Amino acid sequence: MSIELADDYRPSDDEPFMNDRQREYFRRKLLQWKEDILRESKETLVNLQNENTNLPDIADRASSETDRSIELRARDRQRKLISKIESAIKRIEDGSYGYCEETGEPISLKRLDARPIATLSIEAQERHERREKVYRDE
């Protein structure tokens, strides 16, 4: 079932929360994000394979290795992000998307638009971060 969305559609508080149009909007947003990450990853792999690793200068080699390491760490973070995106898509399918995992309350549309993989409302996220800080400081 595909819902027709205007190119300029933005979820609004004036409509029922997580109606079909909103779910389709966020599903498309998540799929596009995942596609962009996968495309960037493929480009990185091609660049890493094409990179000349036989640099005669030791400083150039060290710089190249550092760049490579940073790039691979970034790709690892993106791999984890893809997992979160896939999890969000599953929540759209099972009807739990957009609701705070801690309180069950709706997550604001602004937050979801900015961070479509959000699983906590802003208030719950702030509580979570305060608890983390307390444990980290001890």
Side-chain angles (χ1 to χ4, degrees):
M1 173 181 108
S2 184
I3 310 242
E4 201 57 41
L5 293 179
D7 289 340
D8 62 349
Y9 172 77
R10 285 278 181 269
S12 155
D13 291 327
D14 298 338
E15 57 187 327
F17 187 71
M18 280 304 125
N19 62 53
D20 290 345
R21 290 175 71 199
Q22 287 182 359
R23 284 193 308 274
E24 182 64 12
Y25 170 83
F26 286 112
R27 188 181 72 76
R28 289 182 186 181
K29 185 173 185 121
L30 288 159
L31 288 171
Q32 183 61 54
W33 192 10
K34 179 180 172 183
E35 191 176 299
D36 291 346
I37 292 169
L38 291 172
R39 186 185 67 257
E40 289 171 14
S41 293
K42 285 178 186 160
E43 289 170 7
T44 298
L45 284 175
V46 168
N47 290 339
L48 289 174
Q49 288 169 347
N50 291 338
E51 194 175 89
N52 184 0
T53 54
N54 293 331
L55 299 169
D57 183 65
I58 195 159
D60 288 344
R61 247 187 319 205
S63 177
S64 176
E65 284 302 315
T66 300
D67 292 348
R68 213 176 167 94
S69 176
I70 290 168
E71 190 66 41
L72 291 172
R73 275 199 311 270
R75 291 296 154 230
D76 189 50
R77 281 194 302 277
Q78 288 184 325
R79 181 184 54 77
K80 292 173 184 167
L81 183 55
I82 285 176
S83 174
K84 290 180 180 183
I85 291 170
E86 289 172 346
S87 178
I89 292 169
K90 284 181 185 147
R91 289 193 310 278
I92 288 173
E93 291 166 1
D94 73 19
S96 63
Y97 181 81
Y99 294 91
C100 178
E101 288 182 346
E102 198 171 282
T103 66
E105 295 293 313
I107 298 172
S108 77
L109 291 171
K110 278 185 178 178
R111 176 163 169 74
L112 288 171
D113 209 22
R115 184 106 177 123
I117 59 173
T119 59
L120 299 172
S121 66
I122 289 193
E123 298 79 12
Q125 182 70 38
E126 287 171 348
R127 279 193 305 273
H128 177 71
E129 288 172 4
R130 277 194 303 273
R131 281 193 306 264
E132 264 187 359
K133 183 180 181 334
V134 167
Y135 292 126
R136 209 177 26 240
D137 291 346
E138 290 177 352

